[in-house]
């Protein structure tokens, strides 16, 4: 039994001779259980032997004497159980609900344990409360004081914490915070002033812009002073970045008061003057208008000292998908903590940045991304030294009551599974809220782990200010209408305690009202002058030099084969990797795996850091990568990319947890915050990205258009129809093509290792420039080892570059004879190449469209113009007709095709499921597609498939 176990065991109630007596009883129990009192039999059966070590250690200490009478000992034991249960179950009787009466529970009633006040008063306090305050002398005082601590306006849930040292720390801080964390008079006055500012702001918006949505903070107003406190403590400890994520509830107050967004700017987003516009294209700019609604927008605020930035607060942009911003902010924070300037893994300093995520009470247990994100807490590739989570708990989700939205007692209960401490606090008690924040911050600082604060309040209006809640929650809102605001309650408290005067309170209100009125007048003046917002412009693709001198490639390739002295490599893998040493030789070819590794190595040699994660990314789902090697004897990991002398920046690669939404959101956030880093996420199979669709829709595809938020994230999605069934074939290429607009990203489906090499290097070259944009890449499976996908060394050397379209070698030489031009993308191009007859193909030409978006229209048009007698433009794909690239390509091909040429489709018919379940049936279908494309016919199983 260790020291911490001792404190929670019944034996901690016994000292010196008293514990010696218990040990004697235990020896009798071992000889004959019936020879000892039933109380001792129960104790020994439950707890085992009393620890002799602690008895010896305590023998010389001064300890209160416990009578040897078994009945008296039983009273002490029951009192000990009572104290344990006050700590464990006190929250059930805590006064944490502003609109409800305080609850009770028999679990903390002394009578439940057969104890009277006289029994407790007869015991020394130290028997049941170690380190009790000096003014607590007997058991009754101890129980009454602990009951007050654990059932007041703050409720503590710590009993699920498994680490004994953490549990002891938490209990100790809970039991001393009321004295040690008392707010000074100045601090209390500052909190009151802040609450008045928040209330005045919300009231002004409510009256001035009646009925407009703002998702007010009212009912959990203390969120703003709570965030102020975290920021103050963080900066005091040297944090350079405070990263915040939250949904729309209360966002405007946070923007105004924490991020210092000018009142005039926020008011301007509500003010909609009449627009004298007849051309819709003129709508791109009007004061207060942007690419998203006001309560989804983020902001950045620099805290300066003598003109220098001391710290930066960033509130992340967030769509209406509520909790989906959580992993994005976690990615921000990890990026802010890491130094990527040296080879190897980045160097992390968790004190440099802290994450605050604000949650809704319905969303915290309801949105699965919350649980996914909580799981990052202790993972090597994702931990950030602890996030402070604040649940702004108004006890309702839109119109759904808590009992209909979760199966747990508290909305915070999901955090228990991740060993995260929880404090529930009444949002109408500012002092308790600030004390909770201080405990959470100190815990994070001490243990580098997450903490949850459940700030329980109410919602003063409906889900939004145009919504009437009376019809769905009549009882709740009958209470809300009568309930004073927290600013009013706190002002009354401070006035009654003579901490402030009524005149001071009135002056705070007057100053706040004046600020708002002045801001409104400023906004009206600026609106009349006609302000304009920035409109993103179309950016051309970067013309980057991506070829690398072969001499340099050879040097890097040989360095990749070096291993640390004494490193024991897996023999089978060693033979595979050693073969890469000759792939750059004349007459040899570079396979996909080496092409990728050379891209990584040369990017690192250029001084660009790389981060790659995915469920099997160290090895690669299909065992092609192996940039992390495992010693067969010690299990130690080694990456050749960390050891090559050419590297000038960090290389981070991590196997991710089995989730997509949170991991992809994390990598997006990391990339946004660290725009100089090539950040890559790899799906295990392409369709696994389905689980992260909201990240693609709301952030990656539209982030720049909505918020001006640039990303250069690379997404690798294994894609290809190879008879593996519906769930392991399609990466749903059609979905990404459907979202293509405004040059928002690049979508590609490649057919060779050299093309992959150049595209990655181009993506790295555009980091931090106006050309930066995400890359959605369909990656191969069987092509990883297909010799036809391998490329000669010259394709990587100086003068080589990425080609948006690639003509099939050996075809199209006789320009007048070409009647059909086949266009395709990805692995099917190699199926066509493999099936090409040795002769008789003068009528045919095949073009691989390697980059689908932005579509290389000029290059495709130039091909069409070259072949004057072409009669058919045929798009060939392996996906069903309603999937893949066909619906995207068809209208564009019709625009580009010669007038006399028909545009046709060859591929699988429309289907609801991406692929058949039978490998044999797949093979028959695939063979038909290839044969039809190469023999001039266009029929699928007798059904005409051309358009």
């Amino acid at each position: 039994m260790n020291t911490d176990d001792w404190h929670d065991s019944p034996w901690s109630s016994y000292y010196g001779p008293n514990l010696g007596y218990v040990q004697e009883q235990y020896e009798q129990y071992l000889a004959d259980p019936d020879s000892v009192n039933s109380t001792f039999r129960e104790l020994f059966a439950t707890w085992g032997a009393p620890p002799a070590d602690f008895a010896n250690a305590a023998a010389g200490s001064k300890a209160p004497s416990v009578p040897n009478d078994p009945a008296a000992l039983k009273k002490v034991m029951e009192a000990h159980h009572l104290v344990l249960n006050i700590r464990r179950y006190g929250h059930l009787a805590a006064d944490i609900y502003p609109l409800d009466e305080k609850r009770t529970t028999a679990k903390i009633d002394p009578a439940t344990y057969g104890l009277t006040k006289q029994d407790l008063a007869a015991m020394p306090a130290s028997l049941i409360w170690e380190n009790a305050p000096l003014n607590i002398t007997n058991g009754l005082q101890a129980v009454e004081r602990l009951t007050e601590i654990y059932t007041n306006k703050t409720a503590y849930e710590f009993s699920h914490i498994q680490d004994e040292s953490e549990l002891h720390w938490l209990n100790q801080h809970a039991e001393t915070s009321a004295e040690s964390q008392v707010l000074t008079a100045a601090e209390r006055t500052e909190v009151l002033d802040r609450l008045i500012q928040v209330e005045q702001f919300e009231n002004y918006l409510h009256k001035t812009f009646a009925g407009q949505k703002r998702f007010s903070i009212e009912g959990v107003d203390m969120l703003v002073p709570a965030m102020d406190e975290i920021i103050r403590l963080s900066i005091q400890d040297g944090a350079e970045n405070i990263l915040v994520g939250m949904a729309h509830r209360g966002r405007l107050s946070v923007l105004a008061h924490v991020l210092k967004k000018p009142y005039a700017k926020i008011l301007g987003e509500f003010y909609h003057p009449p627009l004298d516009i007849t051309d819709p294209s003129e709508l791109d700019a009007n004061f207060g208008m942007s690419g998203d609604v006001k309560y989804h927008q983020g902001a950045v605020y620099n805290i300066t000292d003598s003109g220098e930035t001391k710290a930066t607060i960033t509130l992340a942009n967030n769509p209406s998908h509520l909790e989906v911003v959580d992993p994005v902010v976690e990615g921000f924070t990890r990026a802010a903590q890491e130094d990527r300037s040296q080879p190897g893994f980045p160097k992390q300093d968790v004190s440099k940045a802290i994450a605050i995520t604000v949650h809704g009470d319905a969303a915290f247990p309801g949105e699965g991304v919350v649980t996914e994100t909580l799981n990052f807490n202790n993972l090597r590739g994702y931990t950030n030294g602890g996030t402070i989570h604040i649940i702004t708990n108004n006890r309702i989700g839109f119109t759904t009551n808590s009992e209909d939205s979760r199966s747990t007692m508290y909305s915070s209960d999901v955090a228990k599974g991740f060993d995260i401490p929880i404090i529930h606090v009444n949002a109408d008690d500012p002092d308790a809220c600030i004390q909770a924040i201080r405990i959470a911050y100190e815990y994070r600082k001490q243990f580098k782990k997450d903490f949850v604060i459940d700030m329980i309040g109410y919602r003063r209006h409906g889900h939004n200010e145009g919504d009437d809640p009376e019809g769905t929650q009549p009882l709740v809102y009958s209470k809300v209408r009568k309930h004073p605001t927290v600013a009013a309650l706190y002002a009354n408290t401070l006035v009654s305690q003579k901490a402030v005067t009524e005149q001071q309170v009135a002056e705070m209100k007057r100053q706040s009202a004046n600020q708002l009125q002045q801001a409104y007048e400023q906004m009206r003046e600026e609106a009349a002058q006609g302000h304009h917002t920035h409109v993103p412009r179309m950016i051309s693709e970067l013309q980057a030099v991506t070829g690398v001198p072969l001499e340099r490639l050879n040097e890097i390739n040989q360095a990749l084969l070096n291993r640390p002295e004494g490193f024991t490599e897996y023999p089978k893998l060693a033979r595979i990797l050693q073969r890469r040493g000759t792939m750059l030789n004349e007459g040899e070819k570079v396979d996909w795996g080496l092409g990728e590794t050379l891209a990584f190595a040369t990017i690192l040699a250029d001084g660009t850091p790389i981060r790659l994660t995915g469920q099997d990314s160290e090895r690669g789902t299909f065992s092609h990568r192996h940039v992390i090697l495992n010693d067969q004897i010690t299990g130690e990991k080694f990456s050749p990319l960390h050891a090559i002398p050419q590297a000038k920046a960090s290389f981070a690669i991590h196997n991710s947890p089995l989730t997509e939404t949170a991991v992809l959101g994390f990598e997006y956030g990391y990339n946004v915050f660290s725009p100089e880093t090539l950040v890559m996420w790899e799906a295990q199979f392409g369709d696994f990205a389905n689980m992260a669709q909201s990240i693609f829709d709301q952030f990656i595809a539209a982030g720049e258009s909505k918020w001006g938020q640039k990303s250069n994230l690379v997404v690798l999605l294994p894609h290809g129809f190879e008879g593996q069934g519906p769930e392991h074939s399609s990466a749903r290429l059609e979905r990404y093509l459907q979202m293509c607009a405004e040059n928002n990203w690049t979508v590609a489906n490649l057919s060779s290792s050299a093309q992959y090499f150049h595209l990655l290097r181009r993506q790295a070259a555009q980091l931090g420039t106006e050309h930066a944009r995400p890359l959605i890449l369909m990656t191969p499976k069987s092509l990883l080892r297909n010799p036809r996908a391998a490329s000669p060394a010259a394709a990587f050397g100086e003068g080589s570059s990425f080609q948006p379209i690639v003509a099939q070698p050996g075809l199209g030489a006789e320009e007048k004879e070409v009647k059909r031009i086949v266009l395709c993308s990805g692995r099917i191009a190699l199926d066509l190449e493999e099936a090409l007859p040795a002769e008789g193909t003068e009528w045919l030409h095949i073009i691989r469209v390697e980059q689908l978006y932005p579509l290389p229209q000029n290059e495709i048009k130039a091909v069409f113009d070259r072949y004057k007698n072409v009669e058919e433009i045929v798009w060939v794909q392996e996906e069903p007709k309603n999937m893949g690239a066909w619906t995207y390509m068809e209208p564009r091909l019709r625009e580009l095709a010669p007038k006399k040429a028909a545009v046709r489709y060859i591929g699988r018919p429309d289907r609801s499921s991406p692929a058949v379940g039978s490998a044999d049936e797949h093979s028959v279908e695939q063979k038909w597609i290839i044969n039809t494309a190469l023999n001039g016919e266009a029929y699928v199983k007798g059904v005409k498939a051309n358009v």
Side-chain angles (χ1 to χ4, degrees):
M1 182 180 293
N2 62 34
T3 304
D4 299 305
D5 291 335
W6 163 260
H7 291 310
D8 284 335
S9 77
W11 311 126
S12 64
S13 301
Y14 301 94
Y15 300 84
N18 299 314
L19 186 56
Y21 172 75
V22 174
Q23 290 170 327
E24 290 177 6
Q25 293 294 306
Y26 183 69
E27 291 174 3
Q28 292 182 34
Y29 169 80
L30 291 177
D32 180 8
D34 292 332
S35 67
V36 299
N37 183 275
S38 60
T39 300
F40 283 128
R41 284 201 301 273
E42 180 183 341
L43 285 174
F44 298 147
T46 302
W47 293 93
D53 291 344
F54 288 104
N56 295 333
S61 64
K62 293 182 179 180
S65 177
V66 179
N68 294 340
D69 175 33
L73 286 173
K74 183 174 175 62
K75 294 286 187 182
V76 174
M77 291 302 309
E78 293 299 340
H80 180 78
H81 291 160
L82 171 61
V83 168
L84 289 179
N85 283 342
I86 290 171
R87 290 174 174 142
R88 184 176 292 125
Y89 299 117
H91 63 89
L92 297 176
D95 188 10
I96 54 176
Y97 299 106
L99 300 180
D100 295 344
E101 296 296 325
K102 186 174 180 179
R103 304 167 300 168
T104 60
T105 176
K107 293 178 184 290
I108 61 171
D109 185 350
T112 301
Y113 304 87
L115 297 169
T116 65
K117 288 186 177 182
Q118 291 76 13
D119 293 332
L120 292 169
M123 301 175 192
S126 56
L127 279 181
I128 59 176
W129 184 7
E130 186 185 13
N131 299 322
L134 294 177
N135 63 334
I136 303 296
T137 60
N138 62 53
L140 179 60
Q141 292 174 339
V143 167
E144 289 177 342
R145 179 68 183 119
L146 288 170
T147 300
E148 180 186 359
I149 290 170
Y150 285 94
T151 67
N152 207 331
K153 302 287 186 177
T154 305
Y156 303 95
E157 280 201 280
F158 300 150
S159 62
H160 58 280
I161 301 300
Q162 298 182 47
D163 186 284
E164 293 291 344
S165 63
E166 291 182 32
L167 180 58
H168 182 68
W169 187 97
L170 288 163
N171 286 334
Q172 190 174 43
H173 277 68
E175 292 163 18
T176 60
S177 65
E179 288 79 21
S180 63
Q181 300 289 356
V182 173
L183 275 67
T184 65
E187 288 173 335
R188 299 179 87 196
T189 302
E190 186 177 338
V191 169
L192 174 61
D193 191 28
R194 197 59 143 174
L195 289 171
I196 287 172
Q197 292 172 23
V198 170
E199 182 178 308
Q200 294 276 315
F201 173 74
E202 295 287 358
N203 287 342
Y204 191 87
L205 292 179
H206 196 68
K207 294 174 183 177
T208 309
F209 305 105
Q212 285 200 44
K213 293 181 183 180
R214 70 179 191 278
F215 300 98
S216 85
I217 200 172
E218 295 166 275
V220 284
D221 310 49
M222 269 303 299
L223 173 64
V224 168
M227 293 180 68
D228 287 341
E229 183 67 7
I230 298 173
I231 292 165
R232 182 187 70 81
L233 293 169
S234 301
I235 295 173
Q236 180 177 290
D237 284 339
E240 298 170 6
N241 281 280
I242 297 94
L243 297 312
V244 183
M246 66 182 299
H248 39 274
R249 175 76 54 204
R251 192 179 190 89
L252 294 181
S253 272
V254 170
L255 281 166
H257 303 109
V258 179
L259 278 296
K260 313 297 183 186
K261 185 173 182 178
Y263 282 159
K265 191 168 184 179
I266 294 175
L267 296 175
E269 292 167 345
F270 282 89
Y271 181 66
H272 301 298
L275 299 178
D276 185 18
I277 292 175
T278 56
D279 183 355
S281 65
E282 297 178 35
L283 284 170
D284 59 21
N286 185 63
F287 181 78
M289 297 180 68
S290 68
D292 203 347
V293 293
K294 48 194 167 286
Y295 38 80
H296 290 170
Q297 295 176 37
V300 175
Y301 175 63
N302 293 318
I303 299 172
T304 59
D305 184 11
S306 302
E308 293 186 5
T309 298
K310 190 173 182 180
T312 300
I313 308 171
T314 301
L315 174 63
N317 301 293
N318 189 28
S320 270
H321 282 68
L322 301 176
E323 301 291 341
V324 79
V325 76
D326 298 348
V328 176
V329 170
E330 300 288 321
F332 281 3
T333 309
R334 180 65 178 251
Q337 294 172 343
E338 291 192 329
D339 177 3
R340 295 168 287 275
S341 63
Q342 299 297 319
F345 280 107
K347 306 299 186 294
Q348 185 181 13
D349 179 356
V350 299
S351 69
K352 290 175 63 177
I354 184 171
I356 307 169
T357 52
V358 182
H359 312 270
D361 57 295
F364 195 78
E367 297 282 338
V369 69
V370 173
T371 305
E372 294 180 16
T373 306
L374 293 177
N375 189 43
F376 288 155
N377 192 20
N378 294 317
L379 301 184
R380 181 182 57 181
Y382 304 89
T383 183
N384 62 18
T387 296
I388 295 180
H389 304 268
I390 303 175
I391 301 174
T392 49
N393 189 342
N394 52 45
R395 304 179 68 193
I396 189 171
F398 204 154
T399 64
T400 303
N401 294 321
S402 298
E403 59 266 25
D404 295 320
S405 67
R406 65 173 189 264
S407 297
T408 57
M409 174 173 287
Y410 298 114
S411 60
S412 56
D413 282 351
V414 294
K416 292 179 182 178
F418 297 94
D419 224 26
I420 299 173
I422 300 164
I423 290 180
H424 310 279
V425 62
N426 190 317
D428 272 359
D429 189 329
D431 291 355
C433 290
I434 298 301
Q435 288 169 357
I437 289 294
R438 290 175 178 176
I439 292 176
Y441 180 84
E442 287 300 320
Y443 175 86
R444 190 259 182 192
K445 182 178 176 181
Q446 176 76 19
F447 297 104
K448 311 295 187 292
K449 293 183 178 180
D450 288 16
F451 201 104
V452 171
I453 294 174
D454 181 18
M455 187 180 290
I456 302 174
Y458 55 91
R459 192 180 68 193
R460 187 156 290 277
H461 305 290
H463 175 66
N464 60 66
E465 288 64 34
D467 184 58
D468 182 2
E470 300 278 356
T472 52
Q473 277 78 32
L475 300 182
V476 170
Y477 279 89
S478 67
K479 297 177 182 179
V480 170
R481 285 195 303 271
K482 304 170 189 174
H483 193 75
T485 66
V486 64
L489 291 170
Y490 200 47
N492 290 339
T493 297
L494 297 190
V495 169
S496 67
Q497 295 175 355
K498 302 188 184 309
V500 297
T501 65
E502 291 184 356
Q503 290 75 19
Q504 286 176 299
V505 174
E507 178 61 17
M508 292 177 189
K509 292 179 179 179
R510 188 191 66 79
Q511 289 183 5
S512 181
N514 285 346
Q515 286 180 335
L516 287 160
Q517 188 58 38
Q518 291 169 10
Y520 183 79
E521 293 167 1
Q522 176 188 343
M523 177 271 296
R524 291 291 300 268
E525 292 177 6
E526 292 175 347
Q529 297 170 11
H531 282 242
H532 296 273
T533 55
H534 170 71
V535 180
R537 62 188 180 89
M538 296 287 282
I539 301 297
S540 61
E541 289 179 347
L542 179 68
Q543 301 302 310
V545 176
T546 57
V548 178
L550 291 182
E551 182 180 357
R552 190 181 191 203
L553 284 176
N554 271 300
E555 290 174 356
I556 289 173
N557 194 35
Q558 294 308 308
L560 288 167
L561 300 177
N562 295 332
R563 303 290 181 263
E565 185 177 350
F567 188 85
T568 306
E569 194 169 357
Y570 180 41
K572 179 180 177 181
L573 179 58
R575 290 192 296 271
I576 293 172
L577 296 180
Q578 287 298 320
R579 283 202 294 269
R580 292 182 174 180
T582 62
M583 286 184 178
L584 286 169
N585 294 350
E586 189 173 349
E588 299 287 338
K589 288 189 174 182
V590 174
D591 66 13
W592 201 279
L594 179 57
E596 178 185 68
T597 305
L598 289 174
F600 291 165
T602 55
I603 290 168
L604 294 172
D606 291 338
T608 298
I610 299 173
R611 176 182 167 91
L612 168 62
T613 70
Q615 286 161 19
D616 302 283
S617 288
E618 291 183 1
R619 187 199 78 168
T621 299
F622 309 101
S623 197
H624 79 284
R625 181 172 293 128
H626 295 291
V627 292
I628 292 287
L629 306 177
N630 298 279
D631 189 291
Q632 294 297 290
I633 296 175
T634 66
E636 291 184 10
K637 293 180 179 290
F638 166 73
S639 174
L641 289 167
H642 291 164
I644 58 172
Q646 295 85 356
K648 298 176 184 174
S650 67
F651 176 72
I653 183 165
H654 300 284
N655 288 338
S656 76
L658 192 62
T659 177
E660 288 79 33
T661 303
V663 171
L664 181 58
F666 186 102
E667 303 309 335
Y668 172 82
Y670 195 106
N671 174 236
V672 167
F673 201 87
S674 174
E676 82 287 355
T677 303
L678 183 66
V679 181
M680 308 173 69
W681 176 71
E682 180 178 52
Q684 190 176 71
F685 284 89
D687 52 356
F688 285 20
N690 293 349
M691 303 303 295
Q693 199 62 43
S694 61
I695 301 294
F696 286 108
D697 293 352
Q698 305 299 330
F699 290 94
I700 302 174
E704 183 172 7
S705 177
K706 292 192 295 185
W707 311 311
Q709 185 164 282
K710 276 188 170 293
S711 167
N712 202 66
L713 181 68
V714 178
V715 178
L716 306 178
L717 303 175
H719 175 81
F721 284 60
E722 299 170 357
Q724 295 187 42
E727 273 66 61
H728 291 122
S729 296
S730 176
R732 295 290 187 171
L733 171 62
E734 63 278 359
R735 294 181 180 172
Y736 305 100
L737 293 174
Q738 184 185 44
M739 290 186 280
C740 291
E742 303 174 309
N743 277 18
N744 61 329
W745 56 20
T746 300
V747 180
N749 192 10
L750 310 180
S751 60
S752 76
S753 61
Q755 286 282 83
Y756 183 38
F757 171 89
H758 289 296
L759 191 54
L760 288 180
R761 285 185 51 76
R762 188 181 79 177
Q763 193 72 8
Q766 67 191 27
L767 287 164
T769 72
E770 64 178 2
H771 301 276
R773 64 179 67 133
L775 169 62
I776 308 297
L777 185 58
M778 305 294 113
T779 55
K781 294 178 289 185
S782 66
L783 291 197
L784 294 170
R785 294 172 180 80
N786 189 323
R788 295 181 182 276
S791 303
F796 300 82
E798 283 184 291
S800 61
S801 63
F802 176 73
Q803 302 300 311
I805 66 171
V806 175
Q808 176 63 44
L811 296 181
E814 300 180 43
E815 295 178 7
K816 295 182 180 180
E817 300 299 322
V818 172
K819 300 294 191 265
R820 169 182 282 186
I821 298 177
V822 168
L823 292 99
C824 58
S825 189
R827 73 171 299 281
I828 200 166
L830 301 188
D831 286 354
L832 290 168
E833 179 181 87
E834 185 176 5
L836 277 172
E839 55 185 25
T841 56
E842 62 281 351
W843 59 279
L844 176 68
H845 197 23
I846 298 176
I847 301 296
R848 304 176 188 178
V849 183
E850 304 275 292
Q851 178 175 294
L852 291 161
Y853 184 82
L855 187 68
Q857 298 188 54
N858 293 338
E859 290 88 339
I860 294 173
K861 184 68 164 60
V863 172
F864 291 169
D865 290 345
R866 180 181 166 195
Y867 298 98
K868 307 297 185 183
N869 297 325
V870 65
E871 298 175 359
E872 281 186 309
I873 304 296
V874 178
W875 179 259
V876 176
Q877 67 179 38
E878 54 190 358
E879 303 89 348
K881 187 178 182 182
N882 56 325
M883 303 177 194
W886 167 243
T887 54
Y888 164 81
M889 290 296 298
E890 180 193 9
R892 292 163 176 80
L893 290 178
R894 292 193 185 282
E895 287 183 10
L896 296 173
K899 291 183 179 180
K900 64 179 180 179
V903 176
R904 306 182 189 279
Y905 164 85
I906 295 176
R908 290 175 170 83
D910 289 342
R911 282 186 174 148
S912 57
S913 179
V916 296
S918 164
D920 291 339
E921 187 175 351
H922 161 81
S923 181
V924 170
E925 289 183 345
Q926 196 77 359
K927 188 177 296 184
W928 182 92
I929 293 170
I930 301 304
N931 290 341
T932 303
L934 299 181
N935 68 17
E937 298 179 7
Y939 291 87
V940 176
K941 296 183 179 178
V943 180
K944 194 170 185 180
N946 56 344
V947 179

